[in-house]
Amino acid sequence: MSLLQARIQLLEEILQLHSIDVDASIAILDAQREGVDGDGPLGTLPAYSSSLAFDQMCADLEGALYLDEPIDETEVLGSEARFFGATSGRLELQPLQPAEVGSSSEKEQTEIMGIDDIVSPELCEHLVSLYFEWEQPWFQMVDEMLFRESLHNGGPYSSTFLLLCILAVGSRYSDKVDARTDPDDPRTAGRLFAERAEALMRSDIETPSIPTIQALAIIGTYQMASGPFLGWLHHGMANRLMLDTGLNIHHRAVTGITALPPHEVRLRRQIYWALYCNDKLWANYSGRICTMLDSQATVPLPSPLSEDMPGQNRSHLITLQRAMITHCQILERILTRLYGPKRLVSNMERRGFFDSCILTLKGWHYSLPRELKAKAAEGTTGVSPHALILGMVYHTSVCLLSKPFLPQEYPDKGLLEIDGVPSRASVANLEAAGEICTLAETYREVFGGFRRSPLTATHCTLTAALVIMHLSADAPGALSVMGSSSAVLAHSQ
C-alpha cells in the first residue's frame, strides 16, 4: 500500500510540475461523466473511455489486407494477405470481393516431403515435444494445437520451413546424437535442420504466410547461439513480414477481409507480442536500439482463456506472456530513454525517470500472479523454469535502470547520501545482482543446470557477473553480495 501511495504522490507532483491542477481536472472529468450518464452529448465523453472512442481510433488507422495479384502468368498468387495503410493509395482500389485470410485454399499445404530423409518420425516427435516444453513458453511464436493439427491435416498453420526451424531449436534441448551432424559435438545439434531450412527460405519468403514469420523468428533464435549476425537479420525479416501482414494493427481496424476466425485473431495477437518481447531482449543482448515500439501498434494483450478453451497449460502460457509483455513495455522505456540515441540528457529528467521507473518495476513485480513469483513458487512441486527466468529478467532490468546513475567511485557513506539517486541506484543494482544469482542457483538445483534454459538466462547471469566484477569493496552492501554470489556464478553455466 505504501508503494501505491508513493506512486500516486509522485504522479501528482509531476502533474503539478506541468501546471496541471489535479482537483480541477477531477471536477471536469466528473462533469463529463454526468453528461454521459444523463442527457449530455456524446462529445463530452472522455477520450478512449469507451468502445466509441476506440472505433474512432480504428477509423483513423484504417487499412486493408490484399492478396497479391500475379503480374503475369509466371507468378503465383501470394499465400498471405498484405496490409496497406491509408497513405498507400490502395484503399481507393479495394477489390469487389473481400479476401479470404487464413483459409487453406489460399495457402500452400504443409509438405512433409524433404523431412523423412533426415529425421525419423520418432525423433521428429521427440524434438517437436522438446521445443514446446522448453522454448515455446518463453518465446510463444507458435500455437501448439494449431500447428499440430495443420501438420497432420495439411492446414495453413504449418509448413516444411517452419517444421525444420522447430526441429533445429528442439535439437538444442536434446541429448540424442541423431540430432547432431557430429555425434561427439553437442554444438552441431540441429545444424542439419537449420541448413535445410535455409535452403527452403528463399522460396518460402516469395509467397510469405504466417508460418513464414514464425519460422524466420525461430531460426533467428537458433542462429543467435552460433553467431548473432544471421540471427539478428532473420529476426528483422520476421518483423518486416509482421508489418507486411498487418499483425501490428487491431483486427477491427482492418478492412478488405472477411471476418477473421477467433483462433486466427488469437494467433496473430500472440505472434505480434512474441516478436515485440523478443525485440526488447535482443536489444538487451546486443546493445542496439529497439526496432518495435509500443506506440507503433494497436494490438490488445492476449486474452485469458474463455470457458470453451479449457487447459491449465494454455492458461499458464497466456499468464506468462502477459507478464512478459507488460515488463517489456517498461524495459522499452528504459532502453529508449537511458540508452537510445535520443536519450534523456537533463539530470533532473533522468533522476525523475529513475524514481518513477523503479517504482513502476516494483509495482509490476508486486502485481505478478503467485505462480510467476519465483520465491513464492519455490515451495511448490511444479515450479516453472520460465517463472525463474522471468524473475532474472526483472532484476536484470533493475540493473540496466541503475547503471547510468552509479557513481564512478564510492566515497564515504555520508557523501553518497548528499545525492540520493546514486545511492539508491547503487543499492538497487547490488540487490538485483544478488537476486539474479539466487534465482540462478535455484534454477540449477531444480533443473540440473542451464542446459535447457532460454538464451536469456545467459545474458542475465552475465549482467550479474559484470556488476559483481566492477564492485568496489566500499560500495554499500558489496561484501555480502560478493560473498554470496561468487560461488553461484561459478556453477551457473
Side-chain angles (χ1 to χ4, degrees), residues 285-318:
Y285 307 153
S286 62
R288 298 170 182 170
I289 62 172
C290 303
T291 57
M292 291 177 63
L293 300 179
D294 191 36
S295 60
Q296 296 170 336
T298 56
V299 182
L301 296 183
S303 303
L305 289 180
S306 58
E307 294 181 358
D308 61 339
M309 295 178 59
Q312 183 177 1
N313 185 53
R314 289 175 66 89
S315 177
H316 172 73
L317 291 179
I318 292 175

PDB file of all heavy atoms in Angstrom, residues 285-318:
ATOM      1  N   TYR A 285      20.559  -7.929 -25.433  1.00  0.00           N
ATOM      2  CA  TYR A 285      21.737  -8.747 -25.727  1.00  0.00           C
ATOM      3  C   TYR A 285      22.793  -7.959 -26.493  1.00  0.00           C
ATOM      4  O   TYR A 285      23.991  -8.062 -26.231  1.00  0.00           O
ATOM      5  CB  TYR A 285      21.372  -9.967 -26.585  1.00  0.00           C
ATOM      6  CG  TYR A 285      20.264 -10.841 -26.078  1.00  0.00           C
ATOM      7  CD1 TYR A 285      19.487 -11.586 -26.964  1.00  0.00           C
ATOM      8  CD2 TYR A 285      19.974 -10.950 -24.720  1.00  0.00           C
ATOM      9  CE1 TYR A 285      18.465 -12.402 -26.524  1.00  0.00           C
ATOM     10  CE2 TYR A 285      18.951 -11.759 -24.270  1.00  0.00           C
ATOM     11  CZ  TYR A 285      18.197 -12.480 -25.175  1.00  0.00           C
ATOM     12  OH  TYR A 285      17.183 -13.282 -24.738  1.00  0.00           O
ATOM     13  N   SER A 286      22.328  -7.205 -27.491  1.00  0.00           N
ATOM     14  CA  SER A 286      23.245  -6.597 -28.453  1.00  0.00           C
ATOM     15  C   SER A 286      23.597  -5.154 -28.141  1.00  0.00           C
ATOM     16  O   SER A 286      24.547  -4.611 -28.703  1.00  0.00           O
ATOM     17  CB  SER A 286      22.630  -6.664 -29.858  1.00  0.00           C
ATOM     18  OG  SER A 286      21.424  -5.923 -29.902  1.00  0.00           O
ATOM     19  N   GLY A 287      22.829  -4.506 -27.263  1.00  0.00           N
ATOM     20  CA  GLY A 287      23.047  -3.090 -27.018  1.00  0.00           C
ATOM     21  C   GLY A 287      22.577  -2.212 -28.158  1.00  0.00           C
ATOM     22  O   GLY A 287      22.951  -1.036 -28.245  1.00  0.00           O
ATOM     23  N   ARG A 288      21.730  -2.750 -29.033  1.00  0.00           N
ATOM     24  CA  ARG A 288      21.209  -1.990 -30.168  1.00  0.00           C
ATOM     25  C   ARG A 288      19.839  -1.407 -29.831  1.00  0.00           C
ATOM     26  O   ARG A 288      19.243  -1.730 -28.818  1.00  0.00           O
ATOM     27  CB  ARG A 288      21.119  -2.889 -31.407  1.00  0.00           C
ATOM     28  CG  ARG A 288      22.479  -3.410 -31.853  1.00  0.00           C
ATOM     29  CD  ARG A 288      22.364  -4.474 -32.922  1.00  0.00           C
ATOM     30  NE  ARG A 288      23.681  -4.993 -33.295  1.00  0.00           N
ATOM     31  CZ  ARG A 288      23.869  -6.060 -34.063  1.00  0.00           C
ATOM     32  NH1 ARG A 288      22.830  -6.728 -34.532  1.00  0.00           N
ATOM     33  NH2 ARG A 288      25.099  -6.464 -34.346  1.00  0.00           N
ATOM     34  N   ILE A 289      19.347  -0.560 -30.717  1.00  0.00           N
ATOM     35  CA  ILE A 289      18.075   0.101 -30.463  1.00  0.00           C
ATOM     36  C   ILE A 289      16.917  -0.878 -30.631  1.00  0.00           C
ATOM     37  O   ILE A 289      17.038  -1.897 -31.318  1.00  0.00           O
ATOM     38  CB  ILE A 289      17.870   1.304 -31.408  1.00  0.00           C
ATOM     39  CG1 ILE A 289      17.835   0.827 -32.871  1.00  0.00           C
ATOM     40  CG2 ILE A 289      18.950   2.345 -31.197  1.00  0.00           C
ATOM     41  CD1 ILE A 289      17.439   1.905 -33.849  1.00  0.00           C
ATOM     42  N   CYS A 290      15.806  -0.564 -29.996  1.00  0.00           N
ATOM     43  CA  CYS A 290      14.576  -1.327 -30.209  1.00  0.00           C
ATOM     44  C   CYS A 290      14.037  -1.002 -31.604  1.00  0.00           C
ATOM     45  O   CYS A 290      14.025   0.156 -32.018  1.00  0.00           O
ATOM     46  CB  CYS A 290      13.527  -0.962 -29.167  1.00  0.00           C
ATOM     47  SG  CYS A 290      14.045  -1.200 -27.458  1.00  0.00           S
ATOM     48  N   THR A 291      13.592  -2.009 -32.314  1.00  0.00           N
ATOM     49  CA  THR A 291      13.041  -1.783 -33.651  1.00  0.00           C
ATOM     50  C   THR A 291      11.521  -1.906 -33.680  1.00  0.00           C
ATOM     51  O   THR A 291      10.902  -1.617 -34.695  1.00  0.00           O
ATOM     52  CB  THR A 291      13.640  -2.783 -34.656  1.00  0.00           C
ATOM     53  OG1 THR A 291      13.383  -4.119 -34.210  1.00  0.00           O
ATOM     54  CG2 THR A 291      15.142  -2.580 -34.773  1.00  0.00           C
ATOM     55  N   MET A 292      10.918  -2.354 -32.595  1.00  0.00           N
ATOM     56  CA  MET A 292       9.461  -2.408 -32.471  1.00  0.00           C
ATOM     57  C   MET A 292       9.068  -1.615 -31.230  1.00  0.00           C
ATOM     58  O   MET A 292       9.456  -1.976 -30.120  1.00  0.00           O
ATOM     59  CB  MET A 292       8.969  -3.859 -32.338  1.00  0.00           C
ATOM     60  CG  MET A 292       9.129  -4.697 -33.582  1.00  0.00           C
ATOM     61  SD  MET A 292       8.601  -6.424 -33.300  1.00  0.00           S
ATOM     62  CE  MET A 292       6.856  -6.199 -32.933  1.00  0.00           C
ATOM     63  N   LEU A 293       8.337  -0.535 -31.434  1.00  0.00           N
ATOM     64  CA  LEU A 293       7.926   0.311 -30.323  1.00  0.00           C
ATOM     65  C   LEU A 293       6.447   0.111 -30.032  1.00  0.00           C
ATOM     66  O   LEU A 293       5.640  -0.124 -30.938  1.00  0.00           O
ATOM     67  CB  LEU A 293       8.208   1.781 -30.636  1.00  0.00           C
ATOM     68  CG  LEU A 293       9.673   2.135 -30.912  1.00  0.00           C
ATOM     69  CD1 LEU A 293       9.805   3.619 -31.226  1.00  0.00           C
ATOM     70  CD2 LEU A 293      10.562   1.750 -29.741  1.00  0.00           C
ATOM     71  N   ASP A 294       6.101   0.232 -28.772  1.00  0.00           N
ATOM     72  CA  ASP A 294       4.719   0.021 -28.350  1.00  0.00           C
ATOM     73  C   ASP A 294       3.773   1.004 -29.029  1.00  0.00           C
ATOM     74  O   ASP A 294       2.608   0.687 -29.280  1.00  0.00           O
ATOM     75  CB  ASP A 294       4.639   0.154 -26.828  1.00  0.00           C
ATOM     76  CG  ASP A 294       3.300  -0.298 -26.273  1.00  0.00           C
ATOM     77  OD1 ASP A 294       2.730  -1.265 -26.818  1.00  0.00           O
ATOM     78  OD2 ASP A 294       2.822   0.305 -25.304  1.00  0.00           O
ATOM     79  N   SER A 295       4.263   2.188 -29.347  1.00  0.00           N
ATOM     80  CA  SER A 295       3.424   3.214 -29.971  1.00  0.00           C
ATOM     81  C   SER A 295       3.107   2.904 -31.426  1.00  0.00           C
ATOM     82  O   SER A 295       2.266   3.579 -32.030  1.00  0.00           O
ATOM     83  CB  SER A 295       4.121   4.572 -29.890  1.00  0.00           C
ATOM     84  OG  SER A 295       5.373   4.540 -30.568  1.00  0.00           O
ATOM     85  N   GLN A 296       3.745   1.898 -32.001  1.00  0.00           N
ATOM     86  CA  GLN A 296       3.552   1.580 -33.411  1.00  0.00           C
ATOM     87  C   GLN A 296       2.508   0.495 -33.635  1.00  0.00           C
ATOM     88  O   GLN A 296       2.392  -0.032 -34.741  1.00  0.00           O
ATOM     89  CB  GLN A 296       4.890   1.135 -34.020  1.00  0.00           C
ATOM     90  CG  GLN A 296       5.949   2.229 -34.009  1.00  0.00           C
ATOM     91  CD  GLN A 296       7.325   1.715 -34.375  1.00  0.00           C
ATOM     92  OE1 GLN A 296       7.633   0.538 -34.221  1.00  0.00           O
ATOM     93  NE2 GLN A 296       8.170   2.606 -34.873  1.00  0.00           N
ATOM     94  N   ALA A 297       1.752   0.153 -32.611  1.00  0.00           N
ATOM     95  CA  ALA A 297       0.784  -0.932 -32.746  1.00  0.00           C
ATOM     96  C   ALA A 297      -0.470  -0.632 -31.938  1.00  0.00           C
ATOM     97  O   ALA A 297      -0.451   0.180 -31.009  1.00  0.00           O
ATOM     98  CB  ALA A 297       1.396  -2.254 -32.287  1.00  0.00           C
ATOM     99  N   THR A 298      -1.556  -1.291 -32.306  1.00  0.00           N
ATOM    100  CA  THR A 298      -2.822  -1.189 -31.568  1.00  0.00           C
ATOM    101  C   THR A 298      -3.334  -2.593 -31.266  1.00  0.00           C
ATOM    102  O   THR A 298      -4.491  -2.914 -31.517  1.00  0.00           O
ATOM    103  CB  THR A 298      -3.873  -0.419 -32.388  1.00  0.00           C
ATOM    104  OG1 THR A 298      -4.046  -1.072 -33.666  1.00  0.00           O
ATOM    105  CG2 THR A 298      -3.449   1.016 -32.611  1.00  0.00           C
ATOM    106  N   VAL A 299      -2.460  -3.427 -30.758  1.00  0.00           N
ATOM    107  CA  VAL A 299      -2.793  -4.827 -30.516  1.00  0.00           C
ATOM    108  C   VAL A 299      -3.072  -5.031 -29.031  1.00  0.00           C
ATOM    109  O   VAL A 299      -2.201  -4.755 -28.198  1.00  0.00           O
ATOM    110  CB  VAL A 299      -1.639  -5.751 -30.961  1.00  0.00           C
ATOM    111  CG1 VAL A 299      -2.017  -7.216 -30.762  1.00  0.00           C
ATOM    112  CG2 VAL A 299      -1.281  -5.485 -32.415  1.00  0.00           C
ATOM    113  N   PRO A 300      -4.250  -5.521 -28.671  1.00  0.00           N
ATOM    114  CA  PRO A 300      -4.533  -5.785 -27.256  1.00  0.00           C
ATOM    115  C   PRO A 300      -3.659  -6.917 -26.725  1.00  0.00           C
ATOM    116  O   PRO A 300      -3.110  -7.722 -27.489  1.00  0.00           O
ATOM    117  CB  PRO A 300      -6.015  -6.192 -27.254  1.00  0.00           C
ATOM    118  CG  PRO A 300      -6.550  -5.777 -28.583  1.00  0.00           C
ATOM    119  CD  PRO A 300      -5.402  -5.808 -29.534  1.00  0.00           C
ATOM    120  N   LEU A 301      -3.540  -6.979 -25.417  1.00  0.00           N
ATOM    121  CA  LEU A 301      -2.814  -8.085 -24.805  1.00  0.00           C
ATOM    122  C   LEU A 301      -3.565  -9.390 -25.041  1.00  0.00           C
ATOM    123  O   LEU A 301      -4.782  -9.393 -25.260  1.00  0.00           O
ATOM    124  CB  LEU A 301      -2.658  -7.849 -23.303  1.00  0.00           C
ATOM    125  CG  LEU A 301      -1.834  -6.638 -22.864  1.00  0.00           C
ATOM    126  CD1 LEU A 301      -1.736  -6.610 -21.344  1.00  0.00           C
ATOM    127  CD2 LEU A 301      -0.460  -6.644 -23.477  1.00  0.00           C
ATOM    128  N   PRO A 302      -2.855 -10.514 -25.026  1.00  0.00           N
ATOM    129  CA  PRO A 302      -3.540 -11.807 -25.160  1.00  0.00           C
ATOM    130  C   PRO A 302      -4.632 -11.947 -24.105  1.00  0.00           C
ATOM    131  O   PRO A 302      -4.437 -11.608 -22.936  1.00  0.00           O
ATOM    132  CB  PRO A 302      -2.416 -12.824 -24.939  1.00  0.00           C
ATOM    133  CG  PRO A 302      -1.170 -12.096 -25.317  1.00  0.00           C
ATOM    134  CD  PRO A 302      -1.394 -10.670 -24.920  1.00  0.00           C
ATOM    135  N   SER A 303      -5.770 -12.448 -24.524  1.00  0.00           N
ATOM    136  CA  SER A 303      -6.919 -12.560 -23.628  1.00  0.00           C
ATOM    137  C   SER A 303      -6.839 -13.834 -22.809  1.00  0.00           C
ATOM    138  O   SER A 303      -6.363 -14.865 -23.295  1.00  0.00           O
ATOM    139  CB  SER A 303      -8.221 -12.559 -24.433  1.00  0.00           C
ATOM    140  OG  SER A 303      -8.315 -11.401 -25.232  1.00  0.00           O
ATOM    141  N   PRO A 304      -7.315 -13.784 -21.569  1.00  0.00           N
ATOM    142  CA  PRO A 304      -7.414 -15.021 -20.780  1.00  0.00           C
ATOM    143  C   PRO A 304      -8.318 -16.020 -21.475  1.00  0.00           C
ATOM    144  O   PRO A 304      -9.178 -15.662 -22.284  1.00  0.00           O
ATOM    145  CB  PRO A 304      -8.009 -14.543 -19.451  1.00  0.00           C
ATOM    146  CG  PRO A 304      -7.719 -13.073 -19.403  1.00  0.00           C
ATOM    147  CD  PRO A 304      -7.742 -12.599 -20.825  1.00  0.00           C
ATOM    148  N   LEU A 305      -8.135 -17.295 -21.148  1.00  0.00           N
ATOM    149  CA  LEU A 305      -8.927 -18.340 -21.787  1.00  0.00           C
ATOM    150  C   LEU A 305     -10.395 -18.205 -21.424  1.00  0.00           C
ATOM    151  O   LEU A 305     -10.741 -17.912 -20.283  1.00  0.00           O
ATOM    152  CB  LEU A 305      -8.426 -19.721 -21.357  1.00  0.00           C
ATOM    153  CG  LEU A 305      -7.061 -20.162 -21.902  1.00  0.00           C
ATOM    154  CD1 LEU A 305      -6.729 -21.542 -21.367  1.00  0.00           C
ATOM    155  CD2 LEU A 305      -7.055 -20.175 -23.415  1.00  0.00           C
ATOM    156  N   SER A 306     -11.239 -18.416 -22.413  1.00  0.00           N
ATOM    157  CA  SER A 306     -12.673 -18.450 -22.152  1.00  0.00           C
ATOM    158  C   SER A 306     -13.063 -19.856 -21.708  1.00  0.00           C
ATOM    159  O   SER A 306     -12.262 -20.787 -21.732  1.00  0.00           O
ATOM    160  CB  SER A 306     -13.445 -18.064 -23.420  1.00  0.00           C
ATOM    161  OG  SER A 306     -13.120 -18.942 -24.488  1.00  0.00           O
ATOM    162  N   GLU A 307     -14.321 -20.012 -21.316  1.00  0.00           N
ATOM    163  CA  GLU A 307     -14.771 -21.296 -20.792  1.00  0.00           C
ATOM    164  C   GLU A 307     -14.728 -22.399 -21.837  1.00  0.00           C
ATOM    165  O   GLU A 307     -14.633 -23.575 -21.505  1.00  0.00           O
ATOM    166  CB  GLU A 307     -16.194 -21.153 -20.246  1.00  0.00           C
ATOM    167  CG  GLU A 307     -16.283 -20.233 -19.028  1.00  0.00           C
ATOM    168  CD  GLU A 307     -17.693 -20.142 -18.500  1.00  0.00           C
ATOM    169  OE1 GLU A 307     -18.582 -20.765 -19.122  1.00  0.00           O
ATOM    170  OE2 GLU A 307     -17.905 -19.462 -17.479  1.00  0.00           O
ATOM    171  N   ASP A 308     -14.804 -22.022 -23.128  1.00  0.00           N
ATOM    172  CA  ASP A 308     -14.786 -23.046 -24.173  1.00  0.00           C
ATOM    173  C   ASP A 308     -13.373 -23.402 -24.605  1.00  0.00           C
ATOM    174  O   ASP A 308     -13.172 -24.114 -25.576  1.00  0.00           O
ATOM    175  CB  ASP A 308     -15.583 -22.571 -25.389  1.00  0.00           C
ATOM    176  CG  ASP A 308     -15.003 -21.293 -25.996  1.00  0.00           C
ATOM    177  OD1 ASP A 308     -14.269 -20.593 -25.275  1.00  0.00           O
ATOM    178  OD2 ASP A 308     -15.298 -21.016 -27.170  1.00  0.00           O
ATOM    179  N   MET A 309     -12.364 -22.900 -23.881  1.00  0.00           N
ATOM    180  CA  MET A 309     -10.974 -23.213 -24.196  1.00  0.00           C
ATOM    181  C   MET A 309     -10.283 -23.735 -22.940  1.00  0.00           C
ATOM    182  O   MET A 309      -9.458 -23.058 -22.338  1.00  0.00           O
ATOM    183  CB  MET A 309     -10.238 -21.976 -24.716  1.00  0.00           C
ATOM    184  CG  MET A 309     -10.741 -21.451 -26.034  1.00  0.00           C
ATOM    185  SD  MET A 309      -9.841 -19.962 -26.495  1.00  0.00           S
ATOM    186  CE  MET A 309      -8.156 -20.576 -26.549  1.00  0.00           C
ATOM    187  N   PRO A 310     -10.625 -24.946 -22.508  1.00  0.00           N
ATOM    188  CA  PRO A 310     -10.020 -25.469 -21.288  1.00  0.00           C
ATOM    189  C   PRO A 310      -8.548 -25.780 -21.500  1.00  0.00           C
ATOM    190  O   PRO A 310      -8.073 -25.929 -22.618  1.00  0.00           O
ATOM    191  CB  PRO A 310     -10.831 -26.744 -21.026  1.00  0.00           C
ATOM    192  CG  PRO A 310     -11.282 -27.179 -22.388  1.00  0.00           C
ATOM    193  CD  PRO A 310     -11.533 -25.909 -23.152  1.00  0.00           C
ATOM    194  N   GLY A 311      -7.828 -25.890 -20.408  1.00  0.00           N
ATOM    195  CA  GLY A 311      -6.417 -26.256 -20.494  1.00  0.00           C
ATOM    196  C   GLY A 311      -5.581 -25.446 -19.529  1.00  0.00           C
ATOM    197  O   GLY A 311      -5.396 -24.248 -19.725  1.00  0.00           O
ATOM    198  N   GLN A 312      -5.089 -26.109 -18.482  1.00  0.00           N
ATOM    199  CA  GLN A 312      -4.299 -25.401 -17.482  1.00  0.00           C
ATOM    200  C   GLN A 312      -2.996 -24.886 -18.068  1.00  0.00           C
ATOM    201  O   GLN A 312      -2.551 -23.786 -17.753  1.00  0.00           O
ATOM    202  CB  GLN A 312      -4.020 -26.337 -16.299  1.00  0.00           C
ATOM    203  CG  GLN A 312      -3.244 -25.673 -15.159  1.00  0.00           C
ATOM    204  CD  GLN A 312      -3.056 -26.613 -13.988  1.00  0.00           C
ATOM    205  OE1 GLN A 312      -3.483 -27.761 -14.026  1.00  0.00           O
ATOM    206  NE2 GLN A 312      -2.408 -26.135 -12.942  1.00  0.00           N
ATOM    207  N   ASN A 313      -2.374 -25.677 -18.957  1.00  0.00           N
ATOM    208  CA  ASN A 313      -1.106 -25.260 -19.530  1.00  0.00           C
ATOM    209  C   ASN A 313      -1.277 -24.031 -20.407  1.00  0.00           C
ATOM    210  O   ASN A 313      -0.461 -23.109 -20.380  1.00  0.00           O
ATOM    211  CB  ASN A 313      -0.500 -26.408 -20.346  1.00  0.00           C
ATOM    212  CG  ASN A 313       0.884 -26.071 -20.865  1.00  0.00           C
ATOM    213  OD1 ASN A 313       1.760 -25.689 -20.103  1.00  0.00           O
ATOM    214  ND2 ASN A 313       1.067 -26.194 -22.167  1.00  0.00           N
ATOM    215  N   ARG A 314      -2.352 -23.986 -21.203  1.00  0.00           N
ATOM    216  CA  ARG A 314      -2.604 -22.820 -22.049  1.00  0.00           C
ATOM    217  C   ARG A 314      -2.838 -21.583 -21.192  1.00  0.00           C
ATOM    218  O   ARG A 314      -2.390 -20.488 -21.526  1.00  0.00           O
ATOM    219  CB  ARG A 314      -3.806 -23.079 -22.962  1.00  0.00           C
ATOM    220  CG  ARG A 314      -3.531 -24.086 -24.070  1.00  0.00           C
ATOM    221  CD  ARG A 314      -4.791 -24.386 -24.855  1.00  0.00           C
ATOM    222  NE  ARG A 314      -5.254 -23.224 -25.585  1.00  0.00           N
ATOM    223  CZ  ARG A 314      -4.874 -22.917 -26.825  1.00  0.00           C
ATOM    224  NH1 ARG A 314      -4.008 -23.678 -27.454  1.00  0.00           N
ATOM    225  NH2 ARG A 314      -5.354 -21.858 -27.436  1.00  0.00           N
ATOM    226  N   SER A 315      -3.536 -21.756 -20.088  1.00  0.00           N
ATOM    227  CA  SER A 315      -3.776 -20.630 -19.190  1.00  0.00           C
ATOM    228  C   SER A 315      -2.461 -20.107 -18.621  1.00  0.00           C
ATOM    229  O   SER A 315      -2.246 -18.895 -18.524  1.00  0.00           O
ATOM    230  CB  SER A 315      -4.716 -21.062 -18.061  1.00  0.00           C
ATOM    231  OG  SER A 315      -4.906 -20.011 -17.140  1.00  0.00           O
ATOM    232  N   HIS A 316      -1.562 -21.018 -18.254  1.00  0.00           N
ATOM    233  CA  HIS A 316      -0.260 -20.608 -17.727  1.00  0.00           C
ATOM    234  C   HIS A 316       0.542 -19.869 -18.791  1.00  0.00           C
ATOM    235  O   HIS A 316       1.210 -18.863 -18.496  1.00  0.00           O
ATOM    236  CB  HIS A 316       0.514 -21.832 -17.243  1.00  0.00           C
ATOM    237  CG  HIS A 316       1.930 -21.533 -16.856  1.00  0.00           C
ATOM    238  ND1 HIS A 316       2.265 -20.856 -15.699  1.00  0.00           N
ATOM    239  CD2 HIS A 316       3.109 -21.789 -17.496  1.00  0.00           C
ATOM    240  CE1 HIS A 316       3.579 -20.718 -15.625  1.00  0.00           C
ATOM    241  NE2 HIS A 316       4.110 -21.277 -16.705  1.00  0.00           N
ATOM    242  N   LEU A 317       0.488 -20.345 -20.034  1.00  0.00           N
ATOM    243  CA  LEU A 317       1.232 -19.695 -21.110  1.00  0.00           C
ATOM    244  C   LEU A 317       0.746 -18.265 -21.328  1.00  0.00           C
ATOM    245  O   LEU A 317       1.551 -17.348 -21.526  1.00  0.00           O
ATOM    246  CB  LEU A 317       1.099 -20.503 -22.403  1.00  0.00           C
ATOM    247  CG  LEU A 317       1.790 -21.869 -22.448  1.00  0.00           C
ATOM    248  CD1 LEU A 317       1.532 -22.556 -23.782  1.00  0.00           C
ATOM    249  CD2 LEU A 317       3.285 -21.731 -22.206  1.00  0.00           C
ATOM    250  N   ILE A 318      -0.566 -18.072 -21.303  1.00  0.00           N
ATOM    251  CA  ILE A 318      -1.112 -16.729 -21.500  1.00  0.00           C
ATOM    252  C   ILE A 318      -0.715 -15.819 -20.340  1.00  0.00           C
ATOM    253  O   ILE A 318      -0.332 -14.660 -20.536  1.00  0.00           O
ATOM    254  CB  ILE A 318      -2.639 -16.795 -21.658  1.00  0.00           C
ATOM    255  CG1 ILE A 318      -2.999 -17.490 -22.976  1.00  0.00           C
ATOM    256  CG2 ILE A 318      -3.248 -15.391 -21.622  1.00  0.00           C
ATOM    257  CD1 ILE A 318      -4.481 -17.706 -23.175  1.00  0.00           C
TER     258      ILE A 318
END
